[in-house]
Amino acid sequence: MKSSNTGLSVTGATVRFAGRAAVDNVSLSVERGGSIGIVGESGSGKTTLARAIVGQQELDAGDVTFDGVRLVGRRSVEQRRAIQMVYQDPYSSLNPRLTVRQTLRELLRVHRLVSRDGLDARCAELMGMVRFSAEALDAYPAQFSGGQRQRIALARALAVEPQVLVADEPTSALDASVQASVVDLLSELRRDLGLTLVFVSHDLGVINALCDTIVVMRSGQVVETAARAEFFAHPREQYSRELLAAVPRLSARDAPGEAGSGPGLAMVPAASIDSPKSAAGTPVAPANQDQPQRAISEE
């Protein structure tokens, strides 16, 4: 069965655990190349919805469609490649025993995306996309800071050439300056690669910077769906107004402008990639990030 709509669409999605609806009749849509932010407090069902979109959580009712094709049951390899997830904790999602090169090469080989002779060149290209030099390919996950590991996780997701990127709280464990670098990178990748972005977060400052459309969830249900400027200037629902009121320094004056353009990132100040640099010019991990075992040079 096909839908007339293009892009990503969720219709009447319901997920139950022990008889309780974690996601309750949720519908949303985002056009190809667009970005949608799913916000809400902990337990609102936003991560369960994200897992259902990627295909990691089976729906009890409803549909997920992409480019008009229903994604039901066990998805094909092509369908799984098309929608990729970036997780909140990149360290737990990376194999600590594999170098970055080994991780990327394995994906490229399994999916037969490049010839054997082109593996290393493609790995270097992927690292360039997330602002690393090729030198970082032979390092292990433990040698990177938290923000750097998140960028490695992005490179891994991009390796299979997805069309939709679902990011589940990818900046929540990072300090403000590192958040800014990851947000800037996601905006750049979306623009340069034409990615569709589904961004799950409780951080309205980050959502404000990245997303064209805002979906507010509470207790498994959608409370409000609105365009970015409309939501931040004139939220319709009381719960949405309460969420906005709880965010320091985020006000209606931040709303105008294109998502990802910068001024809307009220809670995340602009900064260079990951961290300040030492006098010697090597990256220095922030105090609340894991200190790399050796400096990883970047572009």
Side-chain angles (χ1 to χ4, degrees):
M1 176 180 177
K2 290 193 176 184
S3 162
S4 59
N5 294 328
T6 58
L8 180 70
S9 178
V10 178
T11 306
T14 299
V15 177
R16 297 186 182 91
F17 296 116
R20 176 183 175 276
V23 175
D24 188 3
N25 194 32
V26 169
S27 297
L28 58 85
S29 62
V30 56
E31 295 180 353
R32 263 186 171 273
S35 59
I36 189 166
I38 304 173
V39 302
E41 60 195 1
S42 296
S44 62
K46 56 190 187 293
T47 291
T48 302
L49 177 61
R51 287 173 53 82
I53 290 172
V54 175
Q56 295 177 353
Q57 174 63 54
E58 185 177 353
L59 291 175
D60 290 299
D63 288 312
V64 177
T65 65
F66 181 62
D67 278 355
V69 179
R70 290 181 65 211
L71 306 178
V72 295
R74 184 175 177 83
R75 298 184 185 182
S76 68
V77 172
E78 291 75 16
Q79 288 172 340
R80 294 198 301 271
R81 279 179 49 195
I83 306 177
Q84 288 289 303
M85 183 173 245
V86 177
Y87 299 91
Q88 178 176 355
D89 180 6
Y91 192 65
S92 64
S93 65
L94 294 169
N95 189 331
R97 296 185 177 183
L98 297 182
T99 65
V100 177
R101 186 188 305 275
Q102 290 170 326
T103 296
L104 296 179
R105 282 175 63 99
E106 181 179 39
L107 278 171
L108 295 171
R109 280 197 306 265
V110 167
H111 291 278
R112 300 179 180 178
L113 294 170
V114 296
S115 67
R116 181 179 296 273
D117 291 342
L119 284 173
D120 285 336
R122 179 56 175 162
C123 288
E125 182 182 12
L126 287 165
M127 293 299 278
M129 287 182 183
V130 295
R131 303 177 184 174
F132 277 106
S133 69
E135 176 190 346
L137 281 167
D138 295 313
Y140 291 88
Q143 294 176 266
F144 295 94
S145 70
Q148 290 172 329
R149 283 196 289 264
Q150 196 58 272
R151 286 156 50 208
I152 298 299
L154 273 171
R156 183 183 59 182
L158 295 174
V160 296
E161 302 173 5
Q163 299 169 64
V164 179
L165 203 60
V166 179
D168 182 19
E169 300 272 13
T171 62
S172 65
L174 308 177
D175 70 13
S177 64
V178 181
Q179 280 187 10
S181 69
V182 173
V183 167
D184 180 61
L185 177 58
L186 282 168
S187 180
E188 179 182 289
L189 291 171
R190 178 194 162 202
R191 180 185 66 246
D192 294 348
L193 302 179
L195 289 171
T196 301
L197 179 64
V198 179
F199 197 93
V200 176
S201 183
H202 64 274
D203 189 329
L204 288 172
V206 174
I207 291 287
N208 189 30
L210 275 175
C211 301
D212 303 320
T213 302
I214 315 297
V215 174
V216 181
M217 291 187 66
R218 185 182 194 185
S219 300
Q221 298 181 324
V222 171
V223 174
E224 180 170 353
T225 301
R228 171 179 171 268
E230 177 188 353
F231 175 79
F232 283 99
H234 306 291
R236 294 189 305 272
E237 301 298 324
Q238 178 61 31
Y239 179 67
S240 300
R241 292 193 288 271
E242 291 172 359
L243 287 179
L244 285 168
V247 181
R249 297 187 288 121
L250 185 60
S251 63
R253 66 182 175 81
D254 296 308
E258 183 180 354
S261 59
L265 195 56
M267 293 299 294
V268 186
S272 59
I273 282 296
D274 278 346
S275 62
K277 294 188 181 291
S278 69
T282 55
V284 178
N288 64 338
Q289 298 292 333
D290 296 331
Q291 182 67 38
Q293 294 176 8
R294 67 175 177 84
I296 304 298
S297 63
E298 309 175 51
E299 293 185 334

